[in-house]
Amino acid sequence: MVYKHIMRVGITINDKKLGRLIVGGIDPKFSSRDTKVPYLVDKYIIVKTTTEELKFKVKKMDLSTSIAGNLNIGVIVYDSNDFIKIKSGDEVWAVLD
């Protein structure tokens, strides 16, 4: 499989209306002028924790900029029991193939 680093997890939110949300700062190689962030909807991401790699299918994603001009990303994933294993600081990778 081919992976592309997307972000480091900032927070996770399990909301009854939104679903399971992963929010983080995008890898610094992306900028507001050169995003090239892959479109992840209906594709898979891998969250690398300190002990394992967790695979999730993306339901929705959103890019935004911070007040400092950095890019942030929010990813809503389909239901998975592994969601509770994600911690702040874990790495998120897009599965490209």
Side-chain angles (χ1 to χ4, degrees), residues 18-65:
L18 290 175
R20 290 166 166 78
L21 177 64
I22 303 169
V23 180
I26 286 211
D27 188 309
K29 69 183 170 195
F30 302 116
S31 71
S32 58
R33 295 179 188 187
D34 180 26
T35 58
K36 293 187 184 172
V37 176
Y39 184 70
L40 300 172
V41 175
D42 290 327
K43 297 189 176 153
Y44 289 91
I45 59 171
I46 298 290
V47 178
K48 292 185 180 183
T49 71
T50 55
T51 58
E52 60 189 317
E53 294 183 359
L54 309 168
K55 189 174 184 178
F56 300 94
K57 187 171 183 180
V58 176
K59 185 186 279 187
K60 185 177 177 185
M61 70 178 277
D62 188 40
L63 289 173
S64 62
T65 55

Side-chain angles (χ1 to χ4, degrees), residues 7-15 19-24 47 54 56 75 77 82-90 92:
M7 68 177 172
R8 178 169 282 155
V9 176
I11 60 171
T12 59
I13 301 167
N14 191 0
D15 184 82
R20 290 166 166 78
L21 177 64
I22 303 169
V23 180
V47 178
L54 309 168
F56 300 94
V75 177
V77 297
D82 287 336
F83 184 78
I84 61 171
K85 297 178 183 178
I86 303 172
K87 305 291 183 229
S88 180
D90 290 344
V92 178

